[in-house]
Coordinates of all heavy atoms in Angstrom, one line a residue:
M1 N 0.8 -1.2 0.0 CA 0.0 0.0 0.0 C 0.9 1.2 0.0 O 1.8 1.3 0.8 CB -0.9 0.0 1.2 CG -2.0 0.9 1.1 SD -3.2 0.8 2.6 CE -4.0 -0.7 2.3
T2 N 0.6 2.2 -0.8 CA 1.4 3.4 -0.9 C 0.9 4.5 0.1 O -0.1 4.3 0.7 CB 1.3 4.1 -2.3 OG1 -0.1 4.5 -2.5 CG2 1.7 3.1 -3.4
N3 N 1.8 5.5 0.3 CA 1.4 6.5 1.2 C 0.2 7.3 0.8 O -0.6 7.7 1.6 CB 2.6 7.5 1.4 CG 3.7 6.9 2.2 OD1 3.5 6.0 2.9 ND2 4.9 7.5 2.1
T4 N 0.0 7.4 -0.5 CA -1.2 8.2 -1.0 C -2.4 7.4 -0.7 O -3.5 8.0 -0.5 CB -1.0 8.5 -2.5 OG1 -0.8 7.3 -3.2 CG2 0.1 9.5 -2.7
A5 N -2.4 6.1 -0.7 CA -3.5 5.3 -0.5 C -4.0 5.3 1.0 O -5.1 5.3 1.3 CB -3.3 3.8 -0.9
T6 N -3.0 5.5 1.9 CA -3.3 5.6 3.3 C -3.5 7.0 3.8 O -4.0 7.2 4.9 CB -2.2 4.9 4.2 OG1 -1.0 5.5 3.9 CG2 -2.1 3.4 3.8
A7 N -3.0 8.0 3.1 CA -3.1 9.4 3.5 C -4.5 9.9 3.3 O -5.2 9.6 2.3 CB -2.1 10.2 2.8
K8 N -4.9 10.7 4.3 CA -6.3 11.3 4.1 C -6.2 12.5 3.1 O -5.2 13.2 3.1 CB -6.7 11.9 5.5 CG -7.1 10.8 6.5 CD -7.7 11.5 7.7 CE -8.2 10.5 8.7 NZ -8.8 11.1 9.9
T9 N -7.2 12.7 2.4 CA -7.3 13.8 1.5 C -7.5 15.1 2.3 O -7.9 15.0 3.5 CB -8.5 13.7 0.5 OG1 -9.7 13.8 1.2 CG2 -8.4 12.4 -0.3
L10 N -7.2 16.2 1.7 CA -7.3 17.5 2.4 C -8.8 17.7 2.9 O -9.1 18.2 4.0 CB -6.9 18.7 1.6 CG -6.8 20.0 2.2 CD1 -5.9 20.0 3.5 CD2 -6.3 21.1 1.3
A11 N -9.7 17.3 2.0 CA -11.1 17.4 2.4 C -11.5 16.6 3.6 O -12.2 17.0 4.5 CB -12.0 17.0 1.2
E12 N -10.9 15.3 3.7 CA -11.1 14.5 4.9 C -10.5 15.1 6.1 O -11.1 15.1 7.2 CB -10.6 13.1 4.6 CG -11.3 12.3 3.6 CD -10.6 11.0 3.2 OE1 -9.4 11.0 3.2 OE2 -11.3 10.0 3.0
Q13 N -9.4 15.7 6.0 CA -8.7 16.3 7.1 C -9.4 17.5 7.7 O -9.4 17.8 8.9 CB -7.2 16.8 6.7 CG -6.3 15.6 6.4 CD -5.0 16.1 5.9 OE1 -4.7 17.3 5.9 NE2 -4.2 15.2 5.4
T14 N -10.1 18.3 6.8 CA -10.7 19.5 7.2 C -12.2 19.4 7.4 O -12.8 20.3 8.0 CB -10.5 20.6 6.1 OG1 -11.1 20.1 4.9 CG2 -9.0 20.9 5.9
G15 N -12.8 18.3 6.9 CA -14.3 18.1 7.0 C -15.0 18.9 6.0 O -16.2 19.0 6.0
A16 N -14.3 19.5 5.0 CA -14.9 20.3 4.0 C -15.5 19.4 2.9 O -15.1 18.2 2.8 CB -13.9 21.2 3.3
R17 N -16.5 19.9 2.2 CA -17.2 19.2 1.1 C -16.7 19.5 -0.3 O -17.1 18.9 -1.2 CB -18.6 19.3 1.3 CG -19.1 18.8 2.6 CD -20.6 18.6 2.6 NE -21.0 18.1 3.9 CZ -21.7 17.0 4.1 NH1 -22.0 16.3 3.0 NH2 -22.0 16.6 5.3
T18 N -15.9 20.6 -0.4 CA -15.4 20.9 -1.7 C -13.9 21.2 -1.5 O -13.3 21.5 -0.5 CB -16.0 22.2 -2.2 OG1 -15.6 23.3 -1.4 CG2 -17.5 22.1 -2.3
D19 N -13.2 21.0 -2.7 CA -11.7 21.2 -2.7 C -11.4 22.7 -2.3 O -10.4 23.0 -1.6 CB -11.1 20.9 -4.0 CG -11.1 19.4 -4.3 OD1 -11.2 18.6 -3.3 OD2 -11.0 18.9 -5.4
E20 N -12.2 23.6 -2.8 CA -12.0 25.0 -2.6 C -12.1 25.3 -1.1 O -11.2 26.0 -0.5 CB -13.0 25.9 -3.3 CG -12.9 27.3 -3.2 CD -13.9 28.1 -3.9 OE1 -14.3 27.7 -5.0 OE2 -14.3 29.2 -3.4
A21 N -13.1 24.8 -0.4 CA -13.3 25.0 1.0 C -12.1 24.3 1.8 O -11.6 24.9 2.7 CB -14.6 24.5 1.5
A22 N -11.7 23.1 1.3 CA -10.6 22.4 2.0 C -9.3 23.2 1.9 O -8.6 23.3 2.9 CB -10.5 21.0 1.4
T23 N -9.1 23.8 0.8 CA -7.9 24.6 0.6 C -7.9 25.8 1.5 O -6.9 26.2 2.2 CB -7.7 25.0 -0.9 OG1 -7.6 23.8 -1.6 CG2 -6.5 25.9 -1.1
L24 N -9.1 26.5 1.5 CA -9.2 27.7 2.4 C -9.0 27.3 3.9 O -8.3 28.0 4.6 CB -10.6 28.3 2.2 CG -10.8 29.5 3.0 CD1 -11.0 30.7 2.1 CD2 -12.0 29.4 3.9
I25 N -9.6 26.2 4.3 CA -9.5 25.8 5.7 C -8.0 25.4 6.0 O -7.5 25.7 7.0 CB -10.4 24.6 6.0 CG1 -11.9 25.1 5.9 CG2 -10.1 23.9 7.3 CD1 -12.9 24.0 5.9
G26 N -7.4 24.6 5.1 CA -6.0 24.3 5.2 C -5.1 25.5 5.4 O -4.2 25.5 6.3
D27 N -5.3 26.5 4.6 CA -4.5 27.7 4.6 C -4.7 28.4 6.0 O -3.8 28.9 6.6 CB -4.8 28.6 3.5 CG -4.3 28.1 2.1 OD1 -3.5 27.1 2.1 OD2 -4.8 28.6 1.1
A28 N -6.0 28.5 6.4 CA -6.4 29.2 7.6 C -5.8 28.5 8.8 O -5.3 29.1 9.8 CB -7.9 29.3 7.7
R29 N -5.8 27.1 8.8 CA -5.2 26.4 9.9 C -3.7 26.6 10.0 O -3.1 26.6 11.1 CB -5.5 24.9 9.7 CG -6.9 24.5 10.1 CD -7.2 23.1 10.0 NE -8.5 22.7 10.4 CZ -9.1 21.6 10.2 NH1 -8.4 20.6 9.7 NH2 -10.3 21.3 10.6
E30 N -3.0 26.7 8.8 CA -1.6 27.1 8.9 C -1.4 28.4 9.5 O -0.4 28.6 10.3 CB -1.0 27.1 7.5 CG -0.8 25.7 6.9 CD -0.2 25.7 5.5 OE1 0.3 26.8 5.1 OE2 -0.4 24.7 4.8
R31 N -2.2 29.4 9.2 CA -2.1 30.7 9.9 C -2.4 30.6 11.4 O -1.7 31.2 12.2 CB -3.1 31.7 9.2 CG -2.7 32.1 7.9 CD -3.7 33.0 7.2 NE -4.2 34.1 8.0 CZ -5.5 34.6 7.9 NH1 -6.3 34.1 7.0 NH2 -5.9 35.5 8.7
I32 N -3.4 29.8 11.8 CA -3.6 29.6 13.2 C -2.5 28.9 13.9 O -2.1 29.3 15.0 CB -4.9 28.7 13.4 CG1 -6.2 29.6 13.1 CG2 -5.0 28.2 14.8 CD1 -7.5 28.9 13.1
D33 N -1.9 27.9 13.2 CA -0.7 27.3 13.8 C 0.4 28.3 14.0 O 1.1 28.3 15.1 CB -0.2 26.1 13.0 CG -1.2 24.9 13.0 OD1 -2.0 24.9 13.9 OD2 -1.0 24.1 12.1
A34 N 0.7 29.2 13.1 CA 1.7 30.2 13.2 C 1.4 31.2 14.3 O 2.2 31.6 15.1 CB 1.9 30.9 11.9
L35 N 0.1 31.6 14.4 CA -0.3 32.4 15.5 C -0.2 31.8 16.9 O 0.3 32.4 17.8 CB -1.8 32.9 15.3 CG -2.1 33.8 14.2 CD1 -3.6 33.9 13.9 CD2 -1.5 35.2 14.5
D36 N -0.5 30.5 16.9 CA -0.3 29.8 18.2 C 1.1 29.7 18.6 O 1.5 29.9 19.8 CB -0.9 28.3 18.1 CG -2.4 28.3 18.1 OD1 -3.0 29.2 18.5 OD2 -2.9 27.2 17.7
D37 N 2.0 29.6 17.6 CA 3.5 29.6 17.9 C 3.9 30.9 18.5 O 4.7 31.0 19.4 CB 4.3 29.2 16.7 CG 4.2 27.7 16.3 OD1 3.8 26.9 17.2 OD2 4.5 27.4 15.2
R38 N 3.4 32.0 17.9 CA 3.7 33.4 18.4 C 3.1 33.6 19.8 O 3.8 34.2 20.6 CB 3.1 34.4 17.4 CG 3.9 34.5 16.1 CD 3.4 35.4 15.1 NE 3.0 36.7 15.5 CZ 2.1 37.5 14.9 NH1 1.6 37.1 13.7 NH2 1.9 38.7 15.4
I39 N 1.9 33.1 20.0 CA 1.3 33.3 21.3 C 2.1 32.5 22.4 O 2.3 33.1 23.5 CB -0.2 32.8 21.3 CG1 -1.1 33.8 20.4 CG2 -0.8 32.7 22.7 CD1 -2.4 33.2 20.1
I40 N 2.5 31.3 22.1 CA 3.3 30.5 23.0 C 4.6 31.3 23.3 O 5.0 31.4 24.5 CB 3.5 29.1 22.5 CG1 2.2 28.3 22.5 CG2 4.6 28.4 23.3 CD1 2.3 27.0 21.7
G41 N 5.2 31.8 22.3 CA 6.4 32.6 22.5 C 6.2 33.8 23.4 O 7.1 34.1 24.3
L42 N 5.1 34.5 23.2 CA 4.8 35.7 24.0 C 4.5 35.3 25.4 O 5.0 36.0 26.4 CB 3.6 36.4 23.4 CG 3.9 37.2 22.1 CD1 2.6 37.7 21.5 CD2 4.9 38.3 22.4
I43 N 3.9 34.2 25.7 CA 3.6 33.7 27.0 C 4.9 33.3 27.7 O 5.1 33.6 28.9 CB 2.6 32.6 27.0 CG1 1.2 33.1 26.6 CG2 2.5 31.9 28.4 CD1 0.1 32.0 26.4
Q44 N 5.8 32.7 27.0 CA 7.1 32.3 27.5 C 7.9 33.6 27.9 O 8.5 33.6 28.9 CB 7.9 31.4 26.6 CG 7.3 30.0 26.4 CD 7.9 29.2 25.3 OE1 8.4 29.8 24.3 NE2 7.9 27.9 25.5
E45 N 7.8 34.6 27.0 CA 8.5 35.8 27.3 C 7.8 36.5 28.6 O 8.5 37.0 29.4 CB 8.3 36.8 26.1 CG 9.1 38.1 26.3 CD 9.0 39.0 25.0 OE1 8.6 38.5 24.0 OE2 9.3 40.2 25.2
R46 N 6.5 36.4 28.7 CA 5.8 37.0 29.8 C 6.2 36.3 31.1 O 6.4 36.9 32.2 CB 4.3 36.9 29.7 CG 3.5 37.7 30.7 CD 2.1 37.4 30.6 NE 1.3 38.4 31.4 CZ 1.2 38.3 32.7 NH1 1.9 37.5 33.5 NH2 0.5 39.3 33.4
M47 N 6.4 34.9 31.0 CA 6.8 34.2 32.2 C 8.2 34.6 32.7 O 8.4 34.7 33.8 CB 6.8 32.7 31.8 CG 5.5 32.1 31.6 SD 5.5 30.4 30.9 CE 6.3 29.5 32.1
A48 N 9.1 34.9 31.7 CA 10.4 35.3 32.1 C 10.4 36.7 32.7 O 11.1 36.9 33.7 CB 11.3 35.4 30.8
V49 N 9.6 37.6 32.2 CA 9.5 39.0 32.8 C 8.9 38.9 34.2 O 9.3 39.5 35.1 CB 8.7 39.9 31.9 CG1 8.4 41.2 32.6 CG2 9.4 40.1 30.6
S50 N 7.9 38.0 34.3 CA 7.2 37.8 35.6 C 8.2 37.3 36.6 O 8.2 37.7 37.8 CB 6.0 36.9 35.5 OG 5.4 36.7 36.7
A51 N 9.1 36.4 36.2 CA 10.1 35.9 37.2 C 11.0 37.0 37.7 O 11.4 37.0 38.8 CB 10.9 34.8 36.5
V52 N 11.4 37.9 36.8 CA 12.2 39.0 37.2 C 11.5 39.9 38.2 O 12.1 40.3 39.3 CB 12.6 39.9 35.9 CG1 13.2 41.2 36.4 CG2 13.5 39.1 35.0
I53 N 10.2 40.1 38.0 CA 9.4 40.9 38.9 C 9.3 40.2 40.3 O 9.5 40.8 41.3 CB 8.0 41.2 38.3 CG1 8.1 42.2 37.1 CG2 7.1 41.8 39.4 CD1 6.9 42.3 36.3
Q54 N 9.0 38.9 40.2 CA 8.8 38.2 41.5 C 10.1 38.2 42.3 O 10.1 38.3 43.5 CB 8.4 36.8 41.2 CG 7.0 36.7 40.7 CD 6.6 35.3 40.3 OE1 6.8 34.3 41.1 NE2 5.9 35.1 39.2
E55 N 11.2 37.9 41.6 CA 12.5 37.9 42.3 C 12.8 39.2 42.9 O 13.3 39.3 44.1 CB 13.6 37.5 41.3 CG 15.0 37.3 42.0 CD 16.0 36.6 41.1 OE1 15.6 35.7 40.3 OE2 17.2 37.0 41.2
A56 N 12.6 40.3 42.2 CA 12.8 41.7 42.8 C 11.9 41.9 44.0 O 12.3 42.5 45.0 CB 12.6 42.7 41.7
R57 N 10.6 41.5 43.9 CA 9.7 41.7 44.9 C 10.1 40.9 46.2 O 10.2 41.4 47.3 CB 8.3 41.3 44.5 CG 7.2 41.7 45.5 CD 5.8 41.3 45.2 NE 5.4 41.9 43.9 CZ 5.0 41.1 42.8 NH1 5.1 39.8 42.9 NH2 4.7 41.7 41.7
I58 N 10.5 39.6 46.0 CA 10.9 38.8 47.1 C 12.2 39.3 47.7 O 12.3 39.3 49.0 CB 11.0 37.3 46.6 CG1 9.6 36.8 46.3 CG2 11.6 36.4 47.7 CD1 9.6 35.4 45.6
S59 N 13.1 39.6 46.9 CA 14.4 40.0 47.5 C 14.3 41.4 48.2 O 15.2 41.6 49.1 CB 15.5 40.1 46.4 OG 15.2 41.2 45.5
S60 N 13.3 42.1 48.0 CA 13.1 43.4 48.7 C 12.2 43.2 49.9 O 11.8 44.1 50.6 CB 12.5 44.4 47.8 OG 11.1 44.1 47.5
G61 N 11.8 41.9 50.2 CA 11.0 41.6 51.3 C 9.5 41.5 51.1 O 8.7 41.3 52.0
G62 N 9.2 41.6 49.8 CA 7.7 41.5 49.5 C 7.3 40.1 49.2 O 8.1 39.1 49.4
R63 N 6.0 39.9 48.9 CA 5.4 38.6 48.6 C 5.7 38.2 47.1 O 5.9 39.1 46.3 CB 4.0 38.6 48.9 CG 3.7 39.1 50.3 CD 2.2 39.0 50.6 NE 1.8 37.6 50.8 CZ 0.6 37.2 51.1 NH1 -0.4 38.0 51.0 NH2 0.4 35.9 51.3
R64 N 5.6 37.0 46.9 CA 5.8 36.4 45.5 C 4.7 36.9 44.6 O 5.0 37.3 43.4 CB 5.9 34.9 45.5 CG 6.0 34.3 44.2 CD 6.2 32.8 44.3 NE 5.0 32.1 44.9 CZ 4.0 31.7 44.3 NH1 3.9 31.8 43.0 NH2 3.0 31.1 45.0
V65 N 3.5 37.0 45.1 CA 2.4 37.3 44.2 C 1.7 38.6 44.7 O 1.6 38.9 45.9 CB 1.3 36.2 44.3 CG1 0.1 36.6 43.5 CG2 1.9 34.9 43.7
N66 N 1.4 39.5 43.8 CA 0.7 40.8 44.1 C -0.8 40.6 43.6 O -1.1 40.7 42.5 CB 1.4 41.9 43.4 CG 0.7 43.3 43.7 OD1 -0.5 43.3 43.9 ND2 1.5 44.3 43.7
L67 N -1.7 40.3 44.6 CA -3.1 40.0 44.2 C -3.8 41.2 43.6 O -4.6 41.0 42.7 CB -3.8 39.5 45.4 CG -3.3 38.2 46.0 CD1 -4.1 37.8 47.2 CD2 -3.4 37.1 44.9
T68 N -3.4 42.4 44.0 CA -4.0 43.6 43.4 C -3.7 43.6 41.9 O -4.6 43.9 41.1 CB -3.6 44.9 44.1 OG1 -3.9 44.8 45.5 CG2 -4.2 46.1 43.5
R69 N -2.5 43.4 41.6 CA -2.0 43.4 40.2 C -2.7 42.3 39.4 O -3.2 42.5 38.3 CB -0.5 43.3 40.1 CG 0.0 43.1 38.7 CD -0.2 44.3 37.8 NE 0.3 44.1 36.5 CZ -0.1 44.6 35.4 NH1 -1.2 45.4 35.4 NH2 0.4 44.3 34.2
E70 N -2.8 41.1 40.0 CA -3.5 40.0 39.3 C -4.9 40.3 39.0 O -5.4 40.0 38.0 CB -3.3 38.7 40.1 CG -1.9 38.2 40.1 CD -1.8 36.7 40.5 OE1 -2.9 36.1 40.9 OE2 -0.7 36.2 40.4
M71 N -5.6 41.0 39.9 CA -7.0 41.4 39.7 C -7.1 42.4 38.5 O -8.0 42.3 37.7 CB -7.6 42.0 40.9 CG -7.8 41.0 42.1 SD -8.7 39.6 41.6 CE -10.3 40.2 41.3
E72 N -6.1 43.3 38.4 CA -6.0 44.2 37.3 C -5.9 43.4 36.0 O -6.5 43.7 35.0 CB -4.9 45.2 37.4 CG -5.0 46.2 38.5 CD -3.7 47.0 38.7 OE1 -2.8 46.8 38.0 OE2 -3.8 47.9 39.7
V73 N -5.0 42.5 36.0 CA -4.8 41.6 34.8 C -6.1 40.9 34.4 O -6.5 40.9 33.2 CB -3.6 40.7 35.0 CG1 -3.5 39.7 33.8 CG2 -2.3 41.4 35.1
L74 N -6.7 40.3 35.4 CA -8.0 39.6 35.1 C -9.0 40.5 34.5 O -9.7 40.1 33.6 CB -8.5 38.9 36.4 CG -7.7 37.8 37.0 CD1 -8.2 37.4 38.4 CD2 -7.7 36.6 36.1
G75 N -9.1 41.7 35.1 CA -10.1 42.7 34.6 C -9.8 43.1 33.1 O -10.7 43.2 32.3
H76 N -8.5 43.2 32.9 CA -8.1 43.6 31.5 C -8.5 42.6 30.5 O -9.1 42.9 29.4 CB -6.6 43.9 31.5 CG -6.0 44.3 30.2 ND1 -6.3 45.5 29.6 CD2 -5.2 43.6 29.3 CE1 -5.7 45.6 28.4 NE2 -5.0 44.4 28.2
Y77 N -8.3 41.3 30.8 CA -8.6 40.2 29.9 C -10.1 40.1 29.8 O -10.6 39.8 28.7 CB -7.9 38.9 30.4 CG -6.5 38.7 29.9 CD1 -5.5 39.5 30.4 CD2 -6.2 37.8 28.9 CE1 -4.2 39.3 29.9 CE2 -4.9 37.6 28.4 CZ -3.9 38.4 29.0 OH -2.7 38.3 28.5
R78 N -10.8 40.2 30.9 CA -12.3 40.1 30.9 C -12.9 41.2 30.0 O -13.8 40.9 29.2 CB -12.8 40.1 32.3 CG -14.4 40.0 32.4 CD -14.9 40.3 33.7 NE -14.6 41.7 34.1 CZ -13.8 42.1 35.1 NH1 -13.3 41.2 35.9 NH2 -13.6 43.4 35.3
D79 N -12.4 42.4 30.2 CA -12.9 43.5 29.4 C -12.7 43.3 27.9 O -13.5 43.7 27.1 CB -12.3 44.9 29.9 CG -12.7 45.2 31.3 OD1 -13.7 44.7 31.8 OD2 -12.1 46.2 31.8
A80 N -11.5 42.8 27.6 CA -11.1 42.6 26.2 C -11.8 41.4 25.5 O -12.2 41.4 24.4 CB -9.6 42.5 26.0
L81 N -12.0 40.3 26.3 CA -12.4 39.0 25.7 C -13.7 38.4 26.3 O -14.1 37.4 25.9 CB -11.3 38.0 25.9 CG -9.9 38.4 25.2 CD1 -8.9 37.4 25.6 CD2 -10.1 38.5 23.7
G82 N -14.3 39.2 27.3 CA -15.5 38.6 27.9 C -15.1 37.6 29.0 O -14.0 37.4 29.3
K83 N -16.1 36.9 29.5 CA -15.9 35.9 30.6 C -14.8 34.9 30.3 O -14.0 34.6 31.2 CB -17.2 35.3 30.9 CG -17.1 34.4 32.1 CD -18.5 33.8 32.5 CE -18.3 32.9 33.7 NZ -19.6 32.2 34.0
P84 N -14.7 34.4 29.1 CA -13.6 33.4 28.8 C -12.3 34.0 28.9 O -11.3 33.3 29.2 CB -13.9 32.9 27.3 CG -15.3 33.2 27.1 CD -15.7 34.4 27.9
G85 N -12.2 35.4 28.8 CA -10.9 36.0 29.0 C -10.4 35.9 30.4 O -9.2 35.8 30.6
T86 N -11.3 35.8 31.4 CA -10.9 35.6 32.8 C -10.2 34.3 32.9 O -9.2 34.1 33.6 CB -12.1 35.8 33.7 OG1 -12.7 37.0 33.5 CG2 -11.7 35.6 35.2
T87 N -10.8 33.3 32.3 CA -10.3 31.9 32.4 C -8.9 31.9 31.8 O -7.9 31.3 32.3 CB -11.2 30.9 31.7 OG1 -12.5 31.0 32.4 CG2 -10.7 29.5 31.9
L88 N -8.8 32.5 30.6 CA -7.5 32.6 29.9 C -6.4 33.3 30.8 O -5.3 32.8 30.9 CB -7.6 33.3 28.6 CG -6.4 33.5 27.7 CD1 -5.8 32.1 27.4 CD2 -6.7 34.3 26.5
A89 N -6.8 34.4 31.4 CA -5.9 35.1 32.2 C -5.5 34.3 33.5 O -4.3 34.3 33.9 CB -6.5 36.5 32.7
M90 N -6.4 33.6 34.1 CA -6.1 32.8 35.2 C -5.1 31.7 34.8 O -4.1 31.5 35.6 CB -7.4 32.1 35.8 CG -8.3 33.0 36.5 SD -7.6 33.7 38.0 CE -7.3 32.2 39.0
T91 N -5.2 31.1 33.7 CA -4.3 30.1 33.2 C -2.9 30.7 33.0 O -1.9 30.2 33.4 CB -4.8 29.4 31.9 OG1 -6.0 28.8 32.2 CG2 -3.8 28.4 31.4
M92 N -2.9 31.9 32.4 CA -1.6 32.6 32.1 C -1.0 33.0 33.4 O 0.2 32.8 33.6 CB -1.9 33.8 31.2 CG -0.6 34.5 30.9 SD -0.9 36.2 30.3 CE -1.8 36.9 31.7
L93 N -1.7 33.5 34.4 CA -1.2 33.9 35.6 C -0.6 32.7 36.4 O 0.5 32.8 37.0 CB -2.2 34.6 36.5 CG -2.6 36.0 36.1 CD1 -3.8 36.5 36.8 CD2 -1.4 37.0 36.2
E94 N -1.3 31.6 36.3 CA -0.8 30.3 36.9 C 0.5 29.9 36.3 O 1.5 29.5 37.0 CB -1.8 29.2 36.8 CG -1.4 27.9 37.4 CD -2.4 26.8 37.3 OE1 -3.6 27.1 37.0 OE2 -2.1 25.7 37.5
L95 N 0.7 30.0 35.0 CA 1.9 29.7 34.3 C 3.1 30.6 34.8 O 4.2 30.2 34.8 CB 1.8 29.8 32.8 CG 1.0 28.7 32.1 CD1 0.7 29.2 30.7 CD2 1.8 27.5 32.1
C96 N 2.7 31.9 35.1 CA 3.7 32.9 35.5 C 4.1 32.9 36.9 O 5.0 33.6 37.3 CB 3.3 34.3 35.0 SG 3.1 34.4 33.2
R97 N 3.4 32.2 37.8 CA 3.7 32.2 39.2 C 4.7 31.2 39.6 O 4.8 30.1 39.0 CB 2.4 31.8 40.0 CG 1.4 32.9 40.1 CD 0.3 32.5 41.0 NE -0.9 33.2 40.7 CZ -2.0 32.7 40.4 NH1 -2.2 31.4 40.4 NH2 -3.1 33.4 40.1
G98 N 5.6 31.6 40.5 CA 6.5 30.6 41.2 C 7.5 30.0 40.3 O 7.9 28.9 40.5
R99 N 8.0 30.7 39.3 CA 9.0 30.1 38.4 C 10.4 30.4 38.9 O 11.4 30.1 38.2 CB 8.8 30.7 37.0 CG 7.5 30.2 36.4 CD 7.5 28.8 36.0 NE 6.3 28.4 35.4 CZ 6.1 27.1 35.0 NH1 7.0 26.2 35.3 NH2 5.0 26.8 34.5
I100 N 10.6 31.0 40.0 CA 11.9 31.4 40.5 C 12.3 30.5 41.6 O 11.6 29.8 42.2 CB 12.0 32.8 40.9 CG1 11.0 33.2 42.0 CG2 11.9 33.8 39.8 CD1 11.2 34.5 42.6

């Protein structure tokens, strides 16, 4: 059996019913994958910056987490993205806590 016989067609991969729609979906998914890579990179950068802030705060006698600031971040995401933005921000904040 050849690879082409076992490989799914683009239409099967995308759930589209026409080749035109399958191509459009395939291209859009490539863009989404690229955006996801950029988002992951930005979150990793945010984690690094957050670690610098936490280390400075702790070394000066402060607490690791500033709850007032976290509430500001949650509000910012909620205002921009609605209720799901709060969940997204909570996940991001969790990723950024305690990395030092």
Side-chain angles (χ1 to χ4, degrees):
M1 196 176 288
T2 66
N3 285 343
T4 55
T6 59
K8 288 184 175 182
T9 66
L10 188 56
E12 289 172 326
Q13 292 172 9
T14 62
R17 297 193 181 238
T18 66
D19 289 340
E20 182 180 324
T23 299
L24 182 114
I25 292 168
D27 292 346
R29 284 183 177 171
E30 285 180 19
R31 287 177 43 214
I32 285 174
D33 290 344
L35 288 167
D36 285 343
D37 288 342
R38 287 174 47 199
I39 291 167
I40 290 167
L42 288 170
I43 290 171
Q44 289 170 331
E45 183 178 347
R46 190 189 194 287
M47 290 167 64
V49 172
S50 181
V52 169
I53 293 168
Q54 288 177 47
E55 188 169 321
R57 190 182 302 118
I58 291 168
S59 67
S60 72
R63 303 182 80 182
R64 178 176 57 91
V65 175
N66 181 329
L67 296 178
T68 301
R69 173 62 180 151
E70 288 198 358
M71 293 305 294
E72 290 172 2
V73 172
L74 291 171
H76 181 69
Y77 275 72
R78 183 191 59 246
D79 292 347
L81 302 171
K83 187 177 177 184
T86 303
T87 303
L88 178 62
M90 286 296 297
T91 300
M92 184 199 53
L93 289 169
E94 183 179 343
L95 285 167
C96 293
R97 285 188 203 121
R99 296 289 183 182
I100 56 172

